[in-house]
Amino acid sequence: MRIVRRFRWLLLAVAVLVLGPVTWAAAAPVRFDSREELFEIPKGTWARRMAGEKIEILPQEIRLVAGARDILVLRNRDDVPQTFGPALMMPGQSFRLPFEGAAEYQFACTAHASGQMTVVVWEALSSPWARLRWRAEKVLKRVKWLEQQGG
Amino acid sequence: MKRTLALLAILPTLLLSAPRAGAGAGNSDFKSGVFDPPSAAPDFQLQGSNGSPVVLSKFRGKVVAIAFGFSYCQRVCPVTLTNLSEVFKKLGPAASDVQVIFVSVDPERDTPGRLREFLQSFNSSFLGATGQKAQLDGVRQAYGVFANRVQSEDKKLGYEVHHSSSIFLIDREGKLRALVPFGRPPSAILNDINLLLKG
Protein backbone atom coordinates (compact mmCIF):
# COMPACT_ATOMS: atom_id res chain seq x y z
CA MET A 1 0.00 0.00 0.00
CA ARG A 2 2.89 2.28 0.86
CA ILE A 3 4.47 1.46 -2.48
CA VAL A 4 1.28 2.49 -4.29
CA ARG A 5 1.19 5.75 -2.35
CA ARG A 6 4.86 6.37 -3.03
CA PHE A 7 4.53 5.85 -6.76
CA ARG A 8 1.01 7.18 -7.22
CA TRP A 9 2.13 9.98 -9.53
CA LEU A 10 4.11 7.58 -11.60
CA LEU A 11 1.14 5.19 -11.78
CA LEU A 12 -1.14 8.05 -12.70
CA ALA A 13 1.23 9.15 -15.44
CA VAL A 14 1.44 5.60 -16.80
CA ALA A 15 -2.36 5.30 -16.69
CA VAL A 16 -2.75 8.55 -18.59
CA LEU A 17 -0.12 7.53 -21.11
CA VAL A 18 -1.83 4.21 -21.77
CA LEU A 19 -5.47 5.17 -21.41
CA GLY A 20 -5.12 8.42 -23.36
CA PRO A 21 -4.14 6.84 -26.67
CA VAL A 22 -6.54 3.92 -26.15
CA THR A 23 -9.43 6.30 -25.51
CA TRP A 24 -8.47 8.36 -28.54
CA ALA A 25 -8.17 5.21 -30.70
CA ALA A 26 -11.64 4.11 -29.63
CA ALA A 27 -13.36 7.49 -29.84
CA ALA A 28 -11.83 9.33 -32.81
CA PRO A 29 -13.51 8.54 -36.11
CA VAL A 30 -11.38 6.71 -38.68
CA ARG A 31 -10.97 8.74 -41.84
CA PHE A 32 -9.71 7.44 -45.17
CA ASP A 33 -8.33 9.64 -47.92
CA SER A 34 -9.90 7.38 -50.55
CA ARG A 35 -12.07 4.29 -50.83
CA GLU A 36 -9.31 2.57 -52.76
CA GLU A 37 -6.64 0.31 -51.26
CA LEU A 38 -3.88 0.19 -53.85
CA PHE A 39 -1.21 -2.47 -54.37
CA GLU A 40 1.32 -2.13 -57.16
CA ILE A 41 3.77 -4.45 -58.83
CA PRO A 42 6.79 -2.21 -59.42
CA LYS A 43 8.72 -2.19 -62.67
CA GLY A 44 11.45 -4.84 -62.69
CA THR A 45 9.65 -7.25 -60.32
CA TRP A 46 9.70 -10.12 -62.81
CA ALA A 47 13.42 -9.66 -63.48
CA ARG A 48 14.15 -9.60 -59.75
CA ARG A 49 12.11 -12.76 -59.23
CA MET A 50 13.95 -14.45 -62.09
CA ALA A 51 17.19 -13.49 -60.35
CA GLY A 52 16.02 -15.50 -57.35
CA GLU A 53 14.81 -12.67 -55.16
CA LYS A 54 11.78 -13.47 -53.00
CA ILE A 55 9.29 -10.63 -53.42
CA GLU A 56 5.91 -10.50 -51.68
CA ILE A 57 3.82 -7.54 -52.81
CA LEU A 58 0.33 -8.66 -52.06
CA PRO A 59 -0.24 -9.71 -48.44
CA GLN A 60 -1.89 -13.05 -47.76
CA GLU A 61 -4.75 -11.19 -46.16
CA ILE A 62 -6.08 -7.76 -47.12
CA ARG A 63 -8.37 -5.84 -44.76
CA LEU A 64 -10.95 -3.38 -46.06
CA VAL A 65 -13.82 -1.48 -44.45
CA ALA A 66 -17.35 -1.58 -45.88
CA GLY A 67 -18.55 1.77 -47.14
CA ALA A 68 -15.26 3.54 -46.37
CA ARG A 69 -12.30 1.65 -47.82
CA ASP A 70 -13.93 -1.05 -49.88
CA ILE A 71 -12.28 -1.00 -53.28
CA LEU A 72 -9.21 -3.10 -53.98
CA VAL A 73 -7.02 -1.74 -56.76
CA LEU A 74 -4.19 -3.82 -58.17
CA ARG A 75 -1.77 -2.29 -60.66
CA ASN A 76 0.91 -3.90 -62.79
CA ARG A 77 3.76 -1.47 -63.49
CA ASP A 78 6.06 -4.25 -64.64
CA ASP A 79 6.98 -4.94 -68.27
CA VAL A 80 5.42 -8.41 -68.37
CA PRO A 81 1.91 -9.78 -67.66
CA GLN A 82 1.48 -10.68 -64.00
CA THR A 83 -1.07 -12.69 -62.08
CA PHE A 84 -1.95 -10.47 -59.18
CA GLY A 85 -4.70 -11.62 -56.87
CA PRO A 86 -7.49 -13.11 -58.96
CA ALA A 87 -6.55 -11.37 -62.21
CA LEU A 88 -3.99 -11.70 -64.96
CA MET A 89 -2.94 -8.16 -65.77
CA MET A 90 -1.11 -6.81 -68.76
CA PRO A 91 1.78 -4.34 -68.28
CA GLY A 92 0.41 -0.95 -67.27
CA GLN A 93 -3.01 -2.37 -66.54
CA SER A 94 -4.92 -2.03 -63.30
CA PHE A 95 -7.76 -4.05 -61.83
CA ARG A 96 -10.38 -2.39 -59.68
CA LEU A 97 -12.53 -4.67 -57.52
CA PRO A 98 -15.27 -3.19 -55.29
CA PHE A 99 -16.78 -5.02 -52.30
CA GLU A 100 -20.29 -4.38 -51.08
CA GLY A 101 -20.77 -6.32 -47.88
CA ALA A 102 -18.73 -7.10 -44.81
CA ALA A 103 -17.50 -10.67 -45.19
CA GLU A 104 -14.44 -12.78 -45.82
CA TYR A 105 -13.69 -13.39 -49.48
CA GLN A 106 -11.34 -16.12 -50.71
CA PHE A 107 -9.59 -15.88 -54.06
CA ALA A 108 -7.38 -18.29 -55.88
CA CYS A 109 -4.05 -16.52 -56.34
CA THR A 110 -1.07 -18.17 -57.96
CA ALA A 111 1.15 -15.29 -56.78
CA HIS A 112 0.92 -16.69 -53.24
CA ALA A 113 2.65 -19.84 -52.11
CA SER A 114 -0.60 -21.06 -50.54
CA GLY A 115 -2.46 -20.46 -53.81
CA GLN A 116 -5.02 -18.37 -51.95
CA MET A 117 -5.63 -14.79 -51.03
CA THR A 118 -8.14 -13.56 -48.48
CA VAL A 119 -9.91 -10.21 -48.45
CA VAL A 120 -11.61 -9.43 -45.15
CA VAL A 121 -14.14 -6.61 -45.39
CA TRP A 122 -14.97 -5.20 -41.95
CA GLU A 123 -18.27 -3.71 -40.91
CA ALA A 124 -18.26 0.09 -40.98
CA LEU A 125 -16.11 1.34 -38.08
CA SER A 126 -19.01 2.81 -36.14
CA SER A 127 -18.40 1.35 -32.68
CA PRO A 128 -15.49 2.28 -30.37
CA TRP A 129 -14.47 -1.37 -30.16
CA ALA A 130 -14.31 -1.66 -33.97
CA ARG A 131 -12.17 1.49 -34.21
CA LEU A 132 -9.87 0.28 -31.46
CA ARG A 133 -9.40 -3.11 -33.11
CA TRP A 134 -8.81 -1.51 -36.52
CA ARG A 135 -6.15 0.85 -35.15
CA ALA A 136 -4.50 -1.87 -33.05
CA GLU A 137 -4.20 -4.06 -36.14
CA LYS A 138 -2.70 -1.18 -38.10
CA VAL A 139 -0.07 -0.64 -35.41
CA LEU A 140 0.73 -4.36 -35.29
CA LYS A 141 1.04 -4.47 -39.07
CA ARG A 142 3.38 -1.50 -39.00
CA VAL A 143 5.52 -3.11 -36.27
CA LYS A 144 5.73 -6.35 -38.26
CA TRP A 145 6.73 -4.42 -41.36
CA LEU A 146 9.45 -2.55 -39.43
CA GLU A 147 10.71 -5.86 -38.05
CA GLN A 148 10.90 -7.29 -41.57
CA GLN A 149 12.76 -4.23 -42.78
CA GLY A 150 15.20 -4.51 -39.91
CA GLY A 151 15.70 -8.27 -40.21
CA MET B 1 -34.95 39.15 -76.07
CA LYS B 2 -32.73 39.41 -72.99
CA ARG B 3 -33.81 35.94 -71.94
CA THR B 4 -32.97 34.54 -75.39
CA LEU B 5 -29.52 36.11 -75.31
CA ALA B 6 -28.88 34.76 -71.83
CA LEU B 7 -29.95 31.29 -72.97
CA LEU B 8 -27.65 31.48 -75.98
CA ALA B 9 -24.79 32.54 -73.72
CA ILE B 10 -25.14 29.53 -71.42
CA LEU B 11 -25.95 27.05 -74.21
CA PRO B 12 -22.33 25.91 -74.79
CA THR B 13 -21.94 25.22 -71.05
CA LEU B 14 -25.19 23.27 -70.98
CA LEU B 15 -24.17 21.23 -73.99
CA LEU B 16 -20.76 20.41 -72.53
CA SER B 17 -22.08 19.41 -69.13
CA ALA B 18 -25.00 17.32 -70.39
CA PRO B 19 -24.40 13.56 -70.36
CA ARG B 20 -23.52 12.45 -73.87
CA ALA B 21 -25.81 9.91 -75.44
CA GLY B 22 -23.99 6.61 -75.81
CA ALA B 23 -21.13 7.64 -73.54
CA GLY B 24 -19.64 4.51 -71.93
CA ALA B 25 -20.29 3.63 -68.32
CA GLY B 26 -17.61 4.62 -65.85
CA ASN B 27 -15.59 1.88 -64.18
CA SER B 28 -17.09 2.87 -60.85
CA ASP B 29 -20.52 1.72 -62.06
CA PHE B 30 -19.38 -1.89 -62.29
CA LYS B 31 -20.03 -4.29 -59.42
CA SER B 32 -17.29 -6.68 -60.49
CA GLY B 33 -13.57 -6.23 -61.06
CA VAL B 34 -12.73 -3.97 -63.99
CA PHE B 35 -9.59 -3.88 -66.12
CA ASP B 36 -8.21 -0.47 -66.97
CA PRO B 37 -7.32 -0.02 -69.74
CA PRO B 38 -9.13 -3.05 -71.16
CA SER B 39 -7.09 -5.31 -73.42
CA ALA B 40 -8.19 -7.60 -76.25
CA ALA B 41 -9.64 -10.85 -74.92
CA PRO B 42 -7.34 -13.70 -76.00
CA ASP B 43 -8.94 -15.41 -78.96
CA PHE B 44 -9.40 -19.19 -79.15
CA GLN B 45 -10.90 -21.88 -81.30
CA LEU B 46 -12.29 -24.96 -79.58
CA GLN B 47 -14.84 -27.67 -80.23
CA GLY B 48 -18.34 -26.44 -79.49
CA SER B 49 -21.04 -28.37 -77.71
CA ASN B 50 -23.26 -27.57 -80.73
CA GLY B 51 -21.00 -29.61 -82.98
CA SER B 52 -19.35 -26.56 -84.60
CA PRO B 53 -16.05 -24.87 -83.77
CA VAL B 54 -16.29 -22.11 -81.16
CA VAL B 55 -14.20 -19.12 -82.19
CA LEU B 56 -14.34 -16.30 -79.66
CA SER B 57 -13.72 -13.53 -82.20
CA LYS B 58 -16.81 -14.65 -84.14
CA PHE B 59 -18.93 -13.24 -81.31
CA ARG B 60 -17.87 -9.63 -81.91
CA GLY B 61 -20.95 -7.47 -81.59
CA LYS B 62 -22.20 -9.52 -78.63
CA VAL B 63 -21.28 -9.36 -74.97
CA VAL B 64 -19.59 -12.64 -74.03
CA ALA B 65 -19.42 -14.20 -70.57
CA ILE B 66 -16.79 -16.93 -70.24
CA ALA B 67 -16.78 -19.36 -67.34
CA PHE B 68 -14.23 -22.14 -66.88
CA GLY B 69 -15.34 -25.42 -65.34
CA PHE B 70 -16.30 -29.03 -65.92
CA SER B 71 -19.53 -30.92 -66.25
CA TYR B 72 -18.88 -33.22 -63.28
CA CYS B 73 -18.34 -30.25 -60.98
CA GLN B 74 -20.69 -30.47 -58.01
CA ARG B 75 -20.02 -27.32 -56.04
CA VAL B 76 -18.85 -24.35 -58.10
CA CYS B 77 -20.01 -24.69 -61.74
CA PRO B 78 -23.70 -25.38 -60.99
CA VAL B 79 -23.78 -22.17 -58.90
CA THR B 80 -22.07 -20.10 -61.60
CA LEU B 81 -24.33 -21.44 -64.34
CA THR B 82 -27.48 -21.05 -62.25
CA ASN B 83 -26.53 -17.40 -61.64
CA LEU B 84 -25.95 -16.85 -65.36
CA SER B 85 -29.24 -18.56 -66.11
CA GLU B 86 -30.99 -16.15 -63.70
CA VAL B 87 -29.30 -13.23 -65.43
CA PHE B 88 -30.55 -14.48 -68.81
CA LYS B 89 -34.13 -14.65 -67.56
CA LYS B 90 -33.90 -11.06 -66.35
CA LEU B 91 -32.26 -9.80 -69.52
CA GLY B 92 -35.34 -10.69 -71.54
CA PRO B 93 -34.96 -9.97 -75.29
CA ALA B 94 -31.51 -8.41 -74.70
CA ALA B 95 -30.25 -11.94 -73.90
CA SER B 96 -29.92 -12.52 -77.64
CA ASP B 97 -27.02 -10.03 -77.55
CA VAL B 98 -25.19 -12.03 -74.90
CA GLN B 99 -23.33 -15.33 -75.30
CA VAL B 100 -22.23 -17.57 -72.45
CA ILE B 101 -19.27 -19.83 -73.24
CA PHE B 102 -18.40 -22.56 -70.75
CA VAL B 103 -14.80 -23.63 -71.35
CA SER B 104 -13.95 -27.06 -70.03
CA VAL B 105 -11.05 -27.72 -67.69
CA ASP B 106 -11.60 -31.47 -68.02
CA PRO B 107 -10.75 -32.52 -71.60
CA GLU B 108 -10.81 -36.20 -70.69
CA ARG B 109 -14.50 -36.39 -69.76
CA ASP B 110 -16.06 -33.27 -71.25
CA THR B 111 -16.95 -34.29 -74.79
CA PRO B 112 -19.09 -31.88 -76.84
CA GLY B 113 -22.08 -34.17 -76.25
CA ARG B 114 -21.55 -34.35 -72.53
CA LEU B 115 -21.24 -30.55 -72.33
CA ARG B 116 -24.41 -30.05 -74.38
CA GLU B 117 -26.36 -32.32 -72.06
CA PHE B 118 -24.94 -30.59 -68.96
CA LEU B 119 -25.57 -27.01 -70.16
CA GLN B 120 -29.07 -27.74 -71.45
CA SER B 121 -30.42 -27.82 -67.91
CA PHE B 122 -29.28 -24.24 -67.31
CA ASN B 123 -29.98 -22.51 -70.62
CA SER B 124 -30.15 -23.96 -74.10
CA SER B 125 -28.22 -21.01 -75.55
CA PHE B 126 -25.15 -21.59 -73.36
CA LEU B 127 -22.30 -22.91 -75.44
CA GLY B 128 -19.76 -25.45 -74.19
CA ALA B 129 -16.19 -25.45 -75.50
CA THR B 130 -13.74 -28.30 -75.20
CA GLY B 131 -10.69 -29.65 -76.97
CA GLN B 132 -7.36 -31.38 -76.58
CA LYS B 133 -5.56 -30.93 -73.26
CA ALA B 134 -2.86 -28.72 -74.82
CA GLN B 135 -5.49 -26.49 -76.44
CA LEU B 136 -7.38 -26.01 -73.18
CA ASP B 137 -4.14 -25.45 -71.25
CA GLY B 138 -3.30 -22.68 -73.71
CA VAL B 139 -6.67 -20.95 -73.28
CA ARG B 140 -6.44 -21.17 -69.51
CA GLN B 141 -2.95 -19.76 -69.51
CA ALA B 142 -4.03 -16.82 -71.67
CA TYR B 143 -6.79 -15.96 -69.18
CA GLY B 144 -4.72 -16.65 -66.05
CA VAL B 145 -6.98 -19.51 -65.01
CA PHE B 146 -5.61 -22.37 -62.95
CA ALA B 147 -6.91 -25.95 -62.86
CA ASN B 148 -5.58 -28.78 -60.70
CA ARG B 149 -6.78 -32.34 -60.95
CA VAL B 150 -7.30 -33.88 -57.51
CA GLN B 151 -8.60 -37.21 -56.26
CA SER B 152 -12.29 -37.00 -55.41
CA GLU B 153 -13.73 -38.18 -52.12
CA ASP B 154 -16.58 -39.55 -54.19
CA LYS B 155 -15.20 -42.78 -55.64
CA LYS B 156 -17.76 -42.80 -58.44
CA LEU B 157 -16.37 -39.49 -59.72
CA GLY B 158 -12.77 -40.66 -59.59
CA TYR B 159 -11.29 -37.20 -59.75
CA GLU B 160 -12.38 -33.60 -59.73
CA VAL B 161 -10.72 -30.43 -60.91
CA HIS B 162 -10.06 -27.46 -58.64
CA HIS B 163 -10.22 -24.40 -60.84
CA SER B 164 -10.60 -20.61 -60.93
CA SER B 165 -14.24 -19.74 -60.61
CA SER B 166 -14.50 -16.17 -61.91
CA ILE B 167 -16.59 -15.16 -64.91
CA PHE B 168 -14.84 -13.11 -67.62
CA LEU B 169 -16.95 -10.41 -69.27
CA ILE B 170 -16.02 -9.36 -72.81
CA ASP B 171 -17.57 -6.35 -74.50
CA ARG B 172 -18.99 -6.09 -78.02
CA GLU B 173 -15.57 -5.04 -79.37
CA GLY B 174 -13.87 -8.14 -78.03
CA LYS B 175 -12.18 -6.45 -75.09
CA LEU B 176 -11.82 -8.15 -71.75
CA ARG B 177 -13.55 -5.63 -69.51
CA ALA B 178 -14.43 -7.27 -66.24
CA LEU B 179 -13.99 -10.29 -64.02
CA VAL B 180 -16.81 -11.39 -61.74
CA PRO B 181 -15.47 -13.23 -58.69
CA PHE B 182 -17.34 -16.33 -57.54
CA GLY B 183 -20.14 -15.55 -55.11
CA ARG B 184 -21.34 -12.29 -56.63
CA PRO B 185 -25.15 -12.32 -56.87
CA PRO B 186 -26.99 -12.47 -60.22
CA SER B 187 -28.07 -8.84 -59.73
CA ALA B 188 -24.41 -7.73 -59.80
CA ILE B 189 -23.69 -9.77 -62.95
CA LEU B 190 -26.85 -8.39 -64.57
CA ASN B 191 -25.78 -4.84 -63.72
CA ASP B 192 -22.41 -5.32 -65.40
CA ILE B 193 -23.74 -7.11 -68.48
CA ASN B 194 -26.27 -4.31 -68.93
CA LEU B 195 -23.47 -1.73 -68.73
CA LEU B 196 -21.56 -3.59 -71.43
CA LEU B 197 -24.67 -3.93 -73.60
CA LYS B 198 -25.14 -0.17 -73.44
CA GLY B 199 -21.52 0.26 -74.50
Side-chain angles (χ1 to χ4, degrees), chain A residues 113-151:
Chain A
S114 68
Q116 276 215 316
M117 182 184 100
T118 307
V119 176
V120 182
V121 182
W122 287 43
E123 295 275 3
L125 303 175
S126 46
S127 72
W129 175 236
R131 288 192 286 268
L132 191 61
R133 269 184 63 201
W134 173 262
R135 287 194 163 108
E137 289 216 1
K138 283 215 97 167
V139 170
L140 282 175
K141 239 164 96 176
R142 186 80 187 153
V143 169
K144 266 188 199 164
W145 181 81
L146 285 171
E147 272 176 8
Q148 278 169 359
Q149 296 300 305

Side-chain angles (χ1 to χ4, degrees), chain B residues 6-54:
Chain B
L7 196 64
L8 280 173
I10 62 163
L11 195 61
T13 319
L14 283 175
L15 283 173
L16 284 173
S17 60
R20 281 166 292 150
N27 283 348
S28 57
D29 298 323
F30 282 82
K31 305 265 184 207
S32 46
V34 182
F35 293 98
D36 184 31
S39 52
D43 199 9
F44 56 77
Q45 177 170 338
L46 295 168
Q47 279 177 272
S49 56
N50 58 357
S52 305
V54 177

Side-chain angles (χ1 to χ4, degrees), chain A residues 33 35-36 38 49-50 54 61 69 78 80-81 85 91 93-94 96-97 103 109 113 120 129 136 147-148 151:
Chain A
D33 52 350
R35 289 179 72 168
E36 296 182 352
L38 172 70
R49 276 195 179 130
M50 286 296 104
K54 206 178 159 195
E61 188 176 293
R69 189 119 172 143
D78 209 352
V80 294
Q93 202 172 39
S94 66
R96 181 184 188 278
L97 180 59
C109 175
V120 182
W129 175 236
E147 272 176 8
Q148 278 169 359

Side-chain angles (χ1 to χ4, degrees), chain B residues 47-68:
Chain B
Q47 279 177 272
S49 56
N50 58 357
S52 305
V54 177
V55 183
L56 178 65
S57 52
K58 291 264 168 75
F59 293 100
R60 291 273 159 84
K62 282 191 174 196
V63 168
V64 179
I66 300 180
F68 288 81

